[in-house]
């Protein structure tokens, strides 16, 4: 099949790698892509957030499937436009993508579907915000209602910090915030492939949101991940399908809004049981990089089955017994004012470590063809090993061979797992 993949990050490089290596894929175009995807697919410069441009590109290449990586095109209605043009698309329409685009909408759907989550208050005014902070108490959890690229959440014991973040969110055009009760316990991520009726869960993973070792520093888009989760219940994926994903998909279908694509379930395994922390409407970054490294069944066939409403006929995904660890290398200044333009060297040497591959995120080429950093998160270093500890050792051995002036990465991804 001919596949058009939208996006330019390490998540899309991971998707491209899994799609391109499968015999079912005869042509893969990535728009706009990055220097990493250019090595395994055809990059085409196009605005992935423009429904008309995406449809025109898909028609021009005769695409059999369009796969949407990032959240912005989903909320912009790209999936709706592609499906209206008669082309199978893996990615929810704009209305269903509100599960990610609005925390308040997600809470409303979960309440209707009976899905376990933290108690929350939606705040439109500073007075409501202050009342909610007092009601729930510390640690304070304050979330920007709209899309924030994984960086719109503050969890803090300090009321002043929580209030400052909430007021900044409210000050934006149409600003709203969601204040939640704090959920104790470790977090896990489970990706669920959906066709509007049927759900297939992928392997659970765990990511690391904060910038610094020991979960210190500001929230980021994610600094690393690993899978499998040997500490989690063996039936975690099944629990999530039965108590979270299937009820949400059924509730959206009841409302006439079929969810076709990837439902990312961010979970807390609390002392009171499983609770939903957040939903995303697309593959998570950086978990995708680790999860897809272990996938042994066909990704293009799975995504096409979902896009065409045939997921019930598709076999369950299969997984390598090996573990995968992903460590993100970020540019200096991330997640604040990022310093770009630094030259990147050593990727070939990193990939000479057994079981390692390097995925591009914020990279580009300068006029001389030198690989440079162009964004906050620059590379994902992914390693497979016989255990999480083994994969972790390989990932850090590999990342030590890569050079970017001022680069940052956490030294404790998957430590002790």
């Amino acid at each position: 099949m001919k596949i058009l993949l939208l996006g330019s990050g390490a998540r899309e490089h991971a998707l491209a790698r899994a799609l391109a290596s499968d015999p079912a894929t005869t042509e893969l175009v990535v728009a706009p892509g990055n220097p990493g995807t250019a090595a395994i697919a055809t990059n085409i410069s196009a605005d992935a957030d423009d429904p008309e441009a995406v449809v025109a590109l898909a028609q021009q290449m005769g695409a059999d499937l369009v796969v949407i990586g990032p959240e912005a095109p989903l909320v912009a209605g790209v999936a709706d436009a592609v499906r209206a043009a008669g082309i199978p698309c893996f990615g929810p329409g704009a209305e269903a993508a509100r599960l990610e685009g609005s925390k308040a909408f997600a809470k409303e759907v979960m309440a209707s579907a009976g899905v376990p989550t933290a108690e929350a208050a939606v705040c439109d005014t500073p007075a409501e915000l202050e009342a909610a902070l007092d009601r729930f108490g510390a640690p304070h959890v304050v979330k920007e209602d709209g899309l924030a690229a994984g960086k719109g959440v503050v969890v803090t014991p300090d009321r002043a910090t929580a209030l400052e973040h909430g007021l900044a969110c409210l000050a934006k055009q149409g600003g709203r915030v969601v204040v939640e009760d704090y959920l104790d316990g470790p977090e896990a991520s489970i990706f669920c492939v959906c066709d509007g009726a049927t759900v297939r869960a992928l392997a659970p993973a765990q990511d690391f949101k904060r910038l610094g070792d020991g979960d210190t520093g500001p929230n980021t888009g994610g600094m690393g991940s690993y899978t499998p989760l040997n500490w989690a219940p063996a039936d975690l994926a099944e629990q999530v399908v039965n108590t979270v994903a299937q009820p949400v998909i059924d509730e959206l279908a009841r409302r006439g809004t079929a969810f076709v694509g990837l439902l990312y379930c961010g979970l807390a395994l609390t002392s009171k049981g499983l609770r939903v922390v957040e939903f995303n409407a697309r593959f998570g970054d950086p978990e995708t990089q680790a999860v897809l490294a272990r996938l042994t069944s066909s990704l293009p066939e799975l995504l096409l089955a979902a896009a065409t409403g045939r997921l019930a006929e598709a076999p369950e995904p299969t997984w390598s017994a090996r573990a995968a660890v992903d460590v993100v290398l970020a540019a200096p200044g991330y997640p604040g004012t990022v310093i770009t333009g630094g030259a990147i060297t050593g990727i070939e040497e990193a990939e000479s470590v057994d079981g390692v591959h390097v995925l591009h995120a914020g990279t580009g080429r300068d006029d001389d063809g030198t690989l440079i950093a162009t964004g906050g998160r620059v590379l994902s270093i992914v390693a497979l090993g016989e255990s999480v500890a083994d994969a972790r050792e390989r990932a850090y051995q590999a990342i030590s061979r890569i050079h970017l002036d001022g680069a940052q990465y956490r030294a404790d991804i998957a430590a002790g797992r």
Side-chain angles (χ1 to χ4, degrees), residues 220-233:
T220 71
M223 294 301 292
S225 62
Y226 71 98
T227 177
L229 308 183
N230 295 325
W231 50 267

Side-chain angles (χ1 to χ4, degrees), residues 13 44 78 117 220 314 316:
H13 192 179
I44 291 185
V78 170
T117 186
T220 71
E316 290 282 350

Side-chain angles (χ1 to χ4, degrees), residues 14-296:
L15 286 163
R17 191 172 176 271
L19 294 169
S21 63
D22 193 284
T25 303
T26 53
E27 182 183 347
L28 177 62
V29 171
V30 188
N34 62 41
T37 60
I40 55 173
T42 302
N43 282 358
I44 291 185
S45 180
D47 183 355
D49 299 345
D50 181 339
E52 289 182 13
V54 172
V55 168
L57 178 55
Q59 290 173 331
Q60 182 186 335
M61 66 174 281
D64 301 298
L65 175 65
V66 174
V67 178
I68 301 177
E71 57 270 32
L74 298 171
V75 175
V78 170
D80 298 297
V82 171
R83 275 192 277 272
I87 302 166
C89 182
F90 186 80
E95 181 62 23
R98 287 179 66 207
L99 278 179
E100 176 168 3
S102 169
K103 305 288 187 298
F105 176 72
K107 287 291 185 184
E108 181 207 320
V109 170
M110 282 189 274
S112 299
V115 170
T117 186
E119 192 183 347
V122 180
C123 307
D124 294 294
T125 67
E128 290 174 352
L129 170 63
E130 295 219 39
L133 291 175
D134 292 339
R135 174 182 157 201
F136 291 117
H140 303 285
V141 182
V142 183
K143 299 181 175 180
E144 186 169 354
D145 184 46
L147 291 179
K151 298 191 282 284
V153 181
V154 162
V155 181
T156 176
D158 183 59
R159 188 182 185 281
T161 301
L163 180 61
E164 181 184 14
H165 176 68
L167 292 173
C169 296
L170 290 176
K172 295 180 182 178
Q173 181 78 30
R176 301 174 97 192
V177 291
V178 176
V179 179
E180 289 187 357
D181 199 11
Y182 176 75
L183 296 174
D184 64 340
E187 293 192 6
S189 306
I190 292 197
F191 300 159
C192 293
V193 175
C194 312
D195 70 355
T198 301
V199 176
R200 290 271 190 271
L202 304 188
Q206 186 178 59
D207 75 334
F208 296 78
K209 286 283 187 214
R210 291 190 181 272
L211 180 69
D213 292 355
D215 289 327
T216 57
N219 263 347
T220 71
M223 294 301 292
S225 62
Y226 71 98
T227 177
L229 308 183
N230 295 325
W231 50 267
D235 65 344
L236 179 60
E238 188 182 342
Q239 281 186 49
V240 171
V241 170
N242 293 338
T243 64
V244 177
Q246 194 69 59
V248 164
I249 297 308
D250 292 346
E251 172 62 19
L252 289 175
R254 187 187 68 76
R255 297 174 179 218
T257 308
F259 189 103
V260 178
L262 198 290
L263 179 64
Y264 166 115
C265 302
L267 311 159
L269 307 188
T270 78
S271 54
K272 297 175 183 174
L274 183 154
R275 298 287 186 273
V276 174
V277 176
E278 65 172 347
F279 288 130
N280 290 333
R282 38 76 192 179
F283 281 98
D285 181 347
E287 299 98 323
T288 300
Q289 293 89 298
V291 169
L292 292 185
R294 295 182 56 231
L295 182 70
T296 53

